[in-house]
Amino acid sequence: MRFKTKTKSSNNIKKFFHNWKLTTQEIAFMAILLALYTVIKYLTNLVLTGPLNISIELFFWIINGVLFTPLKGAFFSILCDTVFCFFTSGIAYWMIEYAIVAPIVSLVSSFFLKMYKEKNKSTIVFCISIILILIASTLIIFFIQLFNGKFNYEGVDSKKIFPLFIYLLISFLCFSMLAFLITALVLFKKNNNWKYIKWLHYLTLIILVIIIFRWLWGPYAYLQFSKRFYSKKIDFAKQYPISLFGIVTKSCLTIPIISSITIPMLSILERLKTSNHNKNRF
């Protein structure tokens, strides 16, 4: 019994270190993705500034977690983020609060998608619950802040922005999520094909990543950034909900856009991994 335990432990250790080994093909994939990440991130930062920035890096960090093993994906996300900081001279503003997001998103993505392999109704209920929580949370945060007065985040000022635009953003998010949910469930019931639930699973992953790392962690990291580099006196109790509302408002655009890009890409990557008979390829 002891011998079996030791053998199992040694196999787990070997498997752990084996996951760190990079194949030639993986290095080639990483080089291509790193170049794409640097160029696309630079262009989006140049064109889409302030409140229009849609956090395109989330797309790459999720893809890294799916394309590679958890450890490799996390390492590569750190590499992408660090290289881009050096490329744009942003390394002077490096913060651990932002740096840890990249590897954790890749780890969460990698482990979360493994849950789909167990095809059961609890997966469907979980996905539906997360999407409904997103819609409910968005509406609650919006109405609370609406009654509290103005907000200001990354140049978005309620006194300068047309209120109808905010209403349209909230409505766009809620209706698009409901439409996607209903369409996927109807197609699943009609065709009994789990690929439609897989779409819901992908959308749920994106929503979870944005809620955890943008809604909950984002305001704290942003306020720490303002405090550290701009020497601002920050009252976290007052400023956190204000920053949260700004991030939620941006997410009304970020979630549909990131989803429309990420879901097709994840489907393609999953097919590539399924059709590949060499286990060490990815």
Side-chain angles (χ1 to χ4, degrees), residues 1-8:
M1 190 71 177
R2 181 180 295 179
F3 176 75
K4 289 183 178 180
T5 304
K6 288 183 178 180
T7 304
K8 187 176 180 180

Side-chain angles (χ1 to χ4, degrees), residues 1 16 20 75 157 180 209 225 240 255:
M1 190 71 177
F16 175 82
W20 279 102
F75 166 76
D157 194 328
F180 189 95
V209 166
F225 176 84
Y240 185 93
I255 293 176

Side-chain angles (χ1 to χ4, degrees), residues 37-61 81 84 88 98 153-156 165 169 210 214-215 222 246-258 261:
Y37 175 81
T38 304
V39 172
I40 294 175
K41 178 67 176 171
Y42 178 78
L43 290 176
T44 54
N45 285 356
L46 190 67
V47 178
L48 304 176
T49 59
L52 295 178
N53 193 306
I54 60 172
S55 304
I56 196 67
E57 64 274 6
L58 293 175
F59 161 74
F60 284 94
W61 297 341
D81 191 46
F84 181 77
T88 58
Y98 283 119
Y153 172 76
E154 291 189 357
V156 181
F165 180 67
L169 281 179
I210 290 179
R214 292 294 294 149
W215 289 19
Y222 173 73
I247 291 175
V248 170
T249 304
K250 285 178 61 176
S251 297
C252 294
L253 275 178
T254 301
I255 293 176
I257 292 174
I258 294 294
I261 299 172

Side-chain angles (χ1 to χ4, degrees), residues 42 59 79 104 113 139 151 193 209 236 247-248 275 277 280:
Y42 178 78
F59 161 74
L79 181 64
I104 296 178
L113 289 179
L139 292 174
F151 70 91
N193 192 331
V209 166
F236 282 88
I247 291 175
V248 170
S275 62
H277 299 286
N280 294 324

Side-chain angles (χ1 to χ4, degrees), residues 191-230:
N191 302 302
N192 196 25
N193 192 331
W194 277 84
K195 76 174 183 179
Y196 302 113
I197 302 304
K198 183 179 285 188
W199 295 352
L200 278 182
H201 205 70
Y202 292 153
L203 179 62
T204 304
L205 169 61
I206 296 167
I207 291 172
L208 279 177
V209 166
I210 290 179
I211 288 178
I212 295 172
F213 300 103
R214 292 294 294 149
W215 289 19
L216 301 179
W217 183 253
Y220 172 77
Y222 173 73
L223 294 175
Q224 284 285 14
F225 176 84
S226 299
K227 180 180 179 181
R228 190 170 304 167
F229 294 104
Y230 294 102

